[in-house]
Amino acid sequence: MAAGPPPPLDPDSLPTFTDEGFAEKFLRKTRENPLVPLGCLCTVGVLAYGVICFKKGYTRRSQLMMRARVLAQGITIVSLVGGMVATTIKSR
């Protein structure tokens, strides 16, 4: 039994997507999971302070800041994964 061509698509039944710029998408994602940008800012701040301490010769403080950077990165990753899990659970 040979099948004929598929029926034509009805444009009204297709999903529509809005064009979303970078700023709109960034704001939407920030509202969905606000801890990730906060963690990123914290990581960058600790890293910058650690580099400043390193350049000034405060080796003990710069090592402490590098360890704090790793901790901030870890918290950022945990919040990212937590946000993904929460979004998955919410969509079900």
Side-chain angles (χ1 to χ4, degrees):
M1 180 170 174
L9 291 175
D10 180 23
D12 295 332
S13 67
L14 297 174
T16 58
F17 299 100
T18 59
D19 278 343
E20 187 177 42
F22 175 77
E24 292 89 9
K25 185 174 182 178
F26 180 78
L27 289 174
R28 181 175 55 82
K29 293 288 188 178
T30 300
R31 274 186 245 115
E32 289 174 4
N33 195 358
L35 294 178
V36 174
L38 187 65
C40 291
L41 286 174
C42 183
T43 301
V44 169
V46 169
L47 176 65
Y49 185 64
V51 169
I52 290 169
C53 288
F54 179 75
K55 285 190 175 193
K56 288 185 176 181
Y58 304 139
T59 56
R60 189 179 202 106
R61 190 176 296 164
S62 89
Q63 281 298 310
L64 181 66
M65 289 298 108
M66 291 304 115
R67 290 182 185 136
R69 176 193 56 85
V70 171
L71 179 66
Q73 282 178 318
I75 291 171
T76 303
I77 300 241
V78 167
S79 66
L80 177 68
V81 171
M84 288 172 37
V85 168
T87 302
T88 303
I89 291 172
K90 187 171 69 172
S91 68
R92 289 185 182 184

